[in-house]
Amino acid sequence: MRILNHAALAVCGSLLVLANAETFTEDLLVKPLQDGRVLLHFEFSIQRTASTANETLYHYHLFPRQIGEISRRYDVDELHLSFTQGGWRESKWGSPPVNSQGIGAEVHARIKGGDVIQSESQWRGLTNALSGVFCASLNFIDTTNTATPQLTFAADRDAATATSGVLRHGYLPRENVCTENLTPWIKQLPCQSKSGLGLLLNPYRLYSADFHSMGLSLSFAKGPKGKRVQQYKQRLSVVVDPSALGLGGDGWTLSELVDRQLGTACPAATRSTVRVIQPSSGLKLAPKPASTTKLAGRGVSVFDLRKQPNVDIAFEFAPQKDYGAWPSERPSISAHRYVTGHGGSNGGVEATLTNRGDRAANVTYLDVLPWYLRVYSHTLDIQTQAADGSWNLLRPTSTAFTPAIDRGRPSSIEVALVLPASSRTTLRYSFDKGFLKYTEHPPDANRGFNIGPAIVSYQHDSTTGAELPLHCAIEQALSGPSECTVRAYTELFLASLPTPDFSMPYNVITFTCTILALFFGRIFNLLTRDFAVLKPVEALEE
């Protein structure tokens, strides 16, 4: 019995040590927007010490086991997955709270090792595994819609913990987001929807929002005492319209906004807070927050669920309904893309990059087009319009072009540019439209094909005095100082390809069957009829 007691104590002690190696935090950011809508940004973070020892490699206390086994099985060093529905209106809502706001499903991962062929099979297995976990169509990401960017995502890596690997990027612009994706996403949380901020994840309210972005990220970073730590984050951002929910414009409570009541903090969380970004005036909160702080120069009221359980925050706006009494914090660089040309043989793309800052900015532009839009690199033309209205030729500092292979890989254009201050830069390039087999067309072929967005990436320059983007401010407030990488996504566009006459197979089948029926009937009649020669007299007698 004494030996069993000592063994039990040893096991409990080891589990406590392993549990202490993992930390979990949950935070909710509430920001009233200028047009009366409200931004809700949930962020759940798990951090654990990276170890290769067998006793800790296969132990999962707070870290989700599914994600851990997938990352280990497919040698994933870095993973980012997002599902987005609706467009982010930066002119009214300012900078977005997430760095991936392209409509559809986006996956990019860094596979360990430098073998491209081996990484291809690992990437294929990774997308299939994520498809099964999150009930999504990620298994449709294959070689035909997978790119290998060289410049765009390079800034996301931590130089202190970076390892060699192959970066893969896939996009599904037609992927719809629904509760089938939210349910497994919630199951990855330590407390799921039983307690903590997970109680507020009401799918009926989340999916009636004007903007919805759900994602996760897995990466390595440098932790305390120089140790390599593994970070796993789940983010969910929604923009809710209180007036569409029947709530008064002068005030409402958080429970009325999400139709769920907050309870106690998640027992596994070391931090559980609700943070409200205060406008300059016109908003009163009740009850009194536990503390106040600053976020990107704005006042923030912090409610601590560990000290204030079952809190229901009441928002009371001034009679003038000044929901956001500050100018819109639009990003310094914005991007838009359009399709040009007409007809069924060729077309083009025109992208516009606007630099509103008073300094030049280094950006990278990435556009991945499917194989049936055959891009010609020699047609790339880059012009910039200065503040005085004059147009000049702009030469890129670096260019990476990958031609497409029919039914094999997409074409990608990646350009590094230096945008002049207060300028408007236009990129133009042409493509030819390929012919698809009639079995490769979707059921609504005449609607066209959705083409994923282009991505503009740049580093935020803090020396310019420009306001820190919201997602970087959130990252630094919750996780500590870090470099700010900003990615802007353009709109999707529809590519109209030559569409066959889908009635022709029916016409051919019916015409052929008619001819065969007539021919078979005539031949069958000739082969089965009994012919007899009759004399004229016998014919008359008969």
PDB file of all heavy atoms in Angstrom, residues 290-312:
ATOM      1  N   ALA A 290     -12.901  46.479 -13.400  1.00  0.00           N
ATOM      2  CA  ALA A 290     -11.878  46.143 -12.415  1.00  0.00           C
ATOM      3  C   ALA A 290     -10.645  47.010 -12.576  1.00  0.00           C
ATOM      4  O   ALA A 290      -9.957  47.318 -11.597  1.00  0.00           O
ATOM      5  CB  ALA A 290     -11.504  44.665 -12.524  1.00  0.00           C
ATOM      6  N   SER A 291     -10.347  47.419 -13.820  1.00  0.00           N
ATOM      7  CA  SER A 291      -9.184  48.260 -14.070  1.00  0.00           C
ATOM      8  C   SER A 291      -9.358  48.939 -15.416  1.00  0.00           C
ATOM      9  O   SER A 291     -10.281  48.628 -16.180  1.00  0.00           O
ATOM     10  CB  SER A 291      -7.883  47.439 -14.040  1.00  0.00           C
ATOM     11  OG  SER A 291      -7.909  46.449 -15.059  1.00  0.00           O
ATOM     12  N   THR A 292      -8.498  49.886 -15.699  1.00  0.00           N
ATOM     13  CA  THR A 292      -8.476  50.576 -16.987  1.00  0.00           C
ATOM     14  C   THR A 292      -7.057  50.548 -17.529  1.00  0.00           C
ATOM     15  O   THR A 292      -6.077  50.513 -16.781  1.00  0.00           O
ATOM     16  CB  THR A 292      -8.956  52.030 -16.849  1.00  0.00           C
ATOM     17  OG1 THR A 292      -8.115  52.711 -15.904  1.00  0.00           O
ATOM     18  CG2 THR A 292     -10.399  52.089 -16.395  1.00  0.00           C
ATOM     19  N   THR A 293      -6.958  50.553 -18.850  1.00  0.00           N
ATOM     20  CA  THR A 293      -5.653  50.532 -19.502  1.00  0.00           C
ATOM     21  C   THR A 293      -5.770  51.263 -20.832  1.00  0.00           C
ATOM     22  O   THR A 293      -6.800  51.886 -21.121  1.00  0.00           O
ATOM     23  CB  THR A 293      -5.170  49.084 -19.703  1.00  0.00           C
ATOM     24  OG1 THR A 293      -3.865  49.100 -20.280  1.00  0.00           O
ATOM     25  CG2 THR A 293      -6.111  48.318 -20.595  1.00  0.00           C
ATOM     26  N   LYS A 294      -4.725  51.165 -21.656  1.00  0.00           N
ATOM     27  CA  LYS A 294      -4.691  51.816 -22.955  1.00  0.00           C
ATOM     28  C   LYS A 294      -4.474  50.769 -24.042  1.00  0.00           C
ATOM     29  O   LYS A 294      -3.758  49.787 -23.845  1.00  0.00           O
ATOM     30  CB  LYS A 294      -3.568  52.857 -23.019  1.00  0.00           C
ATOM     31  CG  LYS A 294      -3.794  54.083 -22.138  1.00  0.00           C
ATOM     32  CD  LYS A 294      -4.851  55.002 -22.742  1.00  0.00           C
ATOM     33  CE  LYS A 294      -4.994  56.283 -21.941  1.00  0.00           C
ATOM     34  NZ  LYS A 294      -5.998  57.212 -22.523  1.00  0.00           N
ATOM     35  N   LEU A 295      -5.084  50.987 -25.187  1.00  0.00           N
ATOM     36  CA  LEU A 295      -4.907  50.130 -26.350  1.00  0.00           C
ATOM     37  C   LEU A 295      -4.878  51.002 -27.591  1.00  0.00           C
ATOM     38  O   LEU A 295      -5.891  51.612 -27.946  1.00  0.00           O
ATOM     39  CB  LEU A 295      -6.032  49.100 -26.454  1.00  0.00           C
ATOM     40  CG  LEU A 295      -5.954  48.118 -27.637  1.00  0.00           C
ATOM     41  CD1 LEU A 295      -4.744  47.201 -27.476  1.00  0.00           C
ATOM     42  CD2 LEU A 295      -7.226  47.291 -27.741  1.00  0.00           C
ATOM     43  N   ALA A 296      -3.693  51.097 -28.211  1.00  0.00           N
ATOM     44  CA  ALA A 296      -3.514  51.933 -29.399  1.00  0.00           C
ATOM     45  C   ALA A 296      -3.952  53.370 -29.123  1.00  0.00           C
ATOM     46  O   ALA A 296      -4.580  54.019 -29.963  1.00  0.00           O
ATOM     47  CB  ALA A 296      -4.279  51.362 -30.591  1.00  0.00           C
ATOM     48  N   GLY A 297      -3.648  53.875 -27.933  1.00  0.00           N
ATOM     49  CA  GLY A 297      -3.992  55.245 -27.587  1.00  0.00           C
ATOM     50  C   GLY A 297      -5.413  55.450 -27.135  1.00  0.00           C
ATOM     51  O   GLY A 297      -5.800  56.582 -26.836  1.00  0.00           O
ATOM     52  N   ARG A 298      -6.215  54.388 -27.065  1.00  0.00           N
ATOM     53  CA  ARG A 298      -7.610  54.497 -26.645  1.00  0.00           C
ATOM     54  C   ARG A 298      -7.767  53.949 -25.228  1.00  0.00           C
ATOM     55  O   ARG A 298      -7.084  53.012 -24.821  1.00  0.00           O
ATOM     56  CB  ARG A 298      -8.527  53.722 -27.598  1.00  0.00           C
ATOM     57  CG  ARG A 298      -8.311  54.034 -29.062  1.00  0.00           C
ATOM     58  CD  ARG A 298      -8.684  55.463 -29.396  1.00  0.00           C
ATOM     59  NE  ARG A 298      -8.463  55.758 -30.805  1.00  0.00           N
ATOM     60  CZ  ARG A 298      -8.593  56.958 -31.344  1.00  0.00           C
ATOM     61  NH1 ARG A 298      -8.954  57.987 -30.578  1.00  0.00           N
ATOM     62  NH2 ARG A 298      -8.369  57.147 -32.624  1.00  0.00           N
ATOM     63  N   GLY A 299      -8.711  54.509 -24.493  1.00  0.00           N
ATOM     64  CA  GLY A 299      -8.994  54.010 -23.167  1.00  0.00           C
ATOM     65  C   GLY A 299      -9.729  52.681 -23.223  1.00  0.00           C
ATOM     66  O   GLY A 299     -10.639  52.490 -24.045  1.00  0.00           O
ATOM     67  N   VAL A 300      -9.336  51.762 -22.369  1.00  0.00           N
ATOM     68  CA  VAL A 300      -9.935  50.428 -22.348  1.00  0.00           C
ATOM     69  C   VAL A 300     -10.361  50.115 -20.922  1.00  0.00           C
ATOM     70  O   VAL A 300      -9.568  50.245 -19.973  1.00  0.00           O
ATOM     71  CB  VAL A 300      -8.939  49.361 -22.850  1.00  0.00           C
ATOM     72  CG1 VAL A 300      -9.559  47.973 -22.759  1.00  0.00           C
ATOM     73  CG2 VAL A 300      -8.505  49.660 -24.269  1.00  0.00           C
ATOM     74  N   SER A 301     -11.621  49.712 -20.766  1.00  0.00           N
ATOM     75  CA  SER A 301     -12.144  49.258 -19.476  1.00  0.00           C
ATOM     76  C   SER A 301     -12.050  47.745 -19.418  1.00  0.00           C
ATOM     77  O   SER A 301     -12.535  47.053 -20.316  1.00  0.00           O
ATOM     78  CB  SER A 301     -13.595  49.705 -19.291  1.00  0.00           C
ATOM     79  OG  SER A 301     -13.699  51.118 -19.345  1.00  0.00           O
ATOM     80  N   VAL A 302     -11.414  47.224 -18.375  1.00  0.00           N
ATOM     81  CA  VAL A 302     -11.136  45.798 -18.255  1.00  0.00           C
ATOM     82  C   VAL A 302     -12.007  45.210 -17.157  1.00  0.00           C
ATOM     83  O   VAL A 302     -11.980  45.681 -16.009  1.00  0.00           O
ATOM     84  CB  VAL A 302      -9.641  45.546 -17.950  1.00  0.00           C
ATOM     85  CG1 VAL A 302      -9.356  44.048 -17.868  1.00  0.00           C
ATOM     86  CG2 VAL A 302      -8.767  46.194 -19.014  1.00  0.00           C
ATOM     87  N   PHE A 303     -12.785  44.176 -17.502  1.00  0.00           N
ATOM     88  CA  PHE A 303     -13.600  43.438 -16.539  1.00  0.00           C
ATOM     89  C   PHE A 303     -12.975  42.058 -16.369  1.00  0.00           C
ATOM     90  O   PHE A 303     -12.826  41.314 -17.340  1.00  0.00           O
ATOM     91  CB  PHE A 303     -15.043  43.312 -17.027  1.00  0.00           C
ATOM     92  CG  PHE A 303     -15.759  44.625 -17.171  1.00  0.00           C
ATOM     93  CD1 PHE A 303     -15.631  45.377 -18.337  1.00  0.00           C
ATOM     94  CD2 PHE A 303     -16.557  45.111 -16.142  1.00  0.00           C
ATOM     95  CE1 PHE A 303     -16.294  46.586 -18.469  1.00  0.00           C
ATOM     96  CE2 PHE A 303     -17.223  46.314 -16.271  1.00  0.00           C
ATOM     97  CZ  PHE A 303     -17.084  47.066 -17.435  1.00  0.00           C
ATOM     98  N   ASP A 304     -12.606  41.722 -15.153  1.00  0.00           N
ATOM     99  CA  ASP A 304     -11.935  40.460 -14.837  1.00  0.00           C
ATOM    100  C   ASP A 304     -12.968  39.467 -14.312  1.00  0.00           C
ATOM    101  O   ASP A 304     -13.578  39.675 -13.252  1.00  0.00           O
ATOM    102  CB  ASP A 304     -10.846  40.686 -13.796  1.00  0.00           C
ATOM    103  CG  ASP A 304      -9.923  39.491 -13.652  1.00  0.00           C
ATOM    104  OD1 ASP A 304     -10.303  38.397 -14.100  1.00  0.00           O
ATOM    105  OD2 ASP A 304      -8.814  39.660 -13.101  1.00  0.00           O
ATOM    106  N   LEU A 305     -13.188  38.391 -15.084  1.00  0.00           N
ATOM    107  CA  LEU A 305     -14.201  37.410 -14.684  1.00  0.00           C
ATOM    108  C   LEU A 305     -13.803  36.641 -13.437  1.00  0.00           C
ATOM    109  O   LEU A 305     -14.667  36.102 -12.739  1.00  0.00           O
ATOM    110  CB  LEU A 305     -14.450  36.423 -15.835  1.00  0.00           C
ATOM    111  CG  LEU A 305     -15.109  36.992 -17.088  1.00  0.00           C
ATOM    112  CD1 LEU A 305     -15.408  35.872 -18.075  1.00  0.00           C
ATOM    113  CD2 LEU A 305     -16.384  37.746 -16.757  1.00  0.00           C
ATOM    114  N   ARG A 306     -12.532  36.579 -13.126  1.00  0.00           N
ATOM    115  CA  ARG A 306     -12.122  35.887 -11.896  1.00  0.00           C
ATOM    116  C   ARG A 306     -12.483  36.702 -10.653  1.00  0.00           C
ATOM    117  O   ARG A 306     -12.707  36.141  -9.584  1.00  0.00           O
ATOM    118  CB  ARG A 306     -10.629  35.603 -11.941  1.00  0.00           C
ATOM    119  CG  ARG A 306     -10.211  34.647 -13.057  1.00  0.00           C
ATOM    120  CD  ARG A 306      -8.730  34.326 -12.978  1.00  0.00           C
ATOM    121  NE  ARG A 306      -7.918  35.538 -13.071  1.00  0.00           N
ATOM    122  CZ  ARG A 306      -6.606  35.559 -12.894  1.00  0.00           C
ATOM    123  NH1 ARG A 306      -5.957  34.441 -12.603  1.00  0.00           N
ATOM    124  NH2 ARG A 306      -5.934  36.696 -12.999  1.00  0.00           N
ATOM    125  N   LYS A 307     -12.520  38.032 -10.815  1.00  0.00           N
ATOM    126  CA  LYS A 307     -12.911  38.904  -9.701  1.00  0.00           C
ATOM    127  C   LYS A 307     -14.367  39.349  -9.804  1.00  0.00           C
ATOM    128  O   LYS A 307     -14.957  39.727  -8.793  1.00  0.00           O
ATOM    129  CB  LYS A 307     -12.010  40.134  -9.670  1.00  0.00           C
ATOM    130  CG  LYS A 307     -10.530  39.827  -9.499  1.00  0.00           C
ATOM    131  CD  LYS A 307      -9.703  41.097  -9.537  1.00  0.00           C
ATOM    132  CE  LYS A 307      -8.216  40.813  -9.397  1.00  0.00           C
ATOM    133  NZ  LYS A 307      -7.401  42.060  -9.472  1.00  0.00           N
ATOM    134  N   GLN A 308     -14.911  39.323 -11.019  1.00  0.00           N
ATOM    135  CA  GLN A 308     -16.288  39.777 -11.234  1.00  0.00           C
ATOM    136  C   GLN A 308     -17.080  38.691 -11.965  1.00  0.00           C
ATOM    137  O   GLN A 308     -17.424  38.840 -13.136  1.00  0.00           O
ATOM    138  CB  GLN A 308     -16.302  41.083 -12.051  1.00  0.00           C
ATOM    139  CG  GLN A 308     -15.563  42.245 -11.392  1.00  0.00           C
ATOM    140  CD  GLN A 308     -15.411  43.419 -12.336  1.00  0.00           C
ATOM    141  OE1 GLN A 308     -14.652  43.375 -13.299  1.00  0.00           O
ATOM    142  NE2 GLN A 308     -16.151  44.500 -12.063  1.00  0.00           N
ATOM    143  N   PRO A 309     -17.363  37.583 -11.323  1.00  0.00           N
ATOM    144  CA  PRO A 309     -18.131  36.524 -11.996  1.00  0.00           C
ATOM    145  C   PRO A 309     -19.564  36.962 -12.240  1.00  0.00           C
ATOM    146  O   PRO A 309     -20.109  37.822 -11.550  1.00  0.00           O
ATOM    147  CB  PRO A 309     -18.050  35.355 -11.008  1.00  0.00           C
ATOM    148  CG  PRO A 309     -17.835  36.000  -9.681  1.00  0.00           C
ATOM    149  CD  PRO A 309     -17.012  37.239  -9.938  1.00  0.00           C
ATOM    150  N   ASN A 310     -20.168  36.340 -13.272  1.00  0.00           N
ATOM    151  CA  ASN A 310     -21.577  36.598 -13.629  1.00  0.00           C
ATOM    152  C   ASN A 310     -21.838  38.063 -13.958  1.00  0.00           C
ATOM    153  O   ASN A 310     -22.966  38.551 -13.792  1.00  0.00           O
ATOM    154  CB  ASN A 310     -22.514  36.151 -12.504  1.00  0.00           C
ATOM    155  CG  ASN A 310     -22.310  34.706 -12.113  1.00  0.00           C
ATOM    156  OD1 ASN A 310     -22.254  33.825 -12.978  1.00  0.00           O
ATOM    157  ND2 ASN A 310     -22.169  34.451 -10.819  1.00  0.00           N
ATOM    158  N   VAL A 311     -20.813  38.778 -14.436  1.00  0.00           N
ATOM    159  CA  VAL A 311     -20.987  40.181 -14.756  1.00  0.00           C
ATOM    160  C   VAL A 311     -21.760  40.322 -16.069  1.00  0.00           C
ATOM    161  O   VAL A 311     -21.580  39.534 -17.003  1.00  0.00           O
ATOM    162  CB  VAL A 311     -19.616  40.891 -14.852  1.00  0.00           C
ATOM    163  CG1 VAL A 311     -18.791  40.335 -16.002  1.00  0.00           C
ATOM    164  CG2 VAL A 311     -19.789  42.394 -15.012  1.00  0.00           C
ATOM    165  N   ASP A 312     -22.651  41.288 -16.118  1.00  0.00           N
ATOM    166  CA  ASP A 312     -23.402  41.607 -17.331  1.00  0.00           C
ATOM    167  C   ASP A 312     -23.195  43.093 -17.613  1.00  0.00           C
ATOM    168  O   ASP A 312     -23.793  43.958 -16.955  1.00  0.00           O
ATOM    169  CB  ASP A 312     -24.881  41.278 -17.166  1.00  0.00           C
ATOM    170  CG  ASP A 312     -25.649  41.395 -18.472  1.00  0.00           C
ATOM    171  OD1 ASP A 312     -24.984  41.490 -19.539  1.00  0.00           O
ATOM    172  OD2 ASP A 312     -26.893  41.385 -18.452  1.00  0.00           O
TER     173      ASP A 312
END
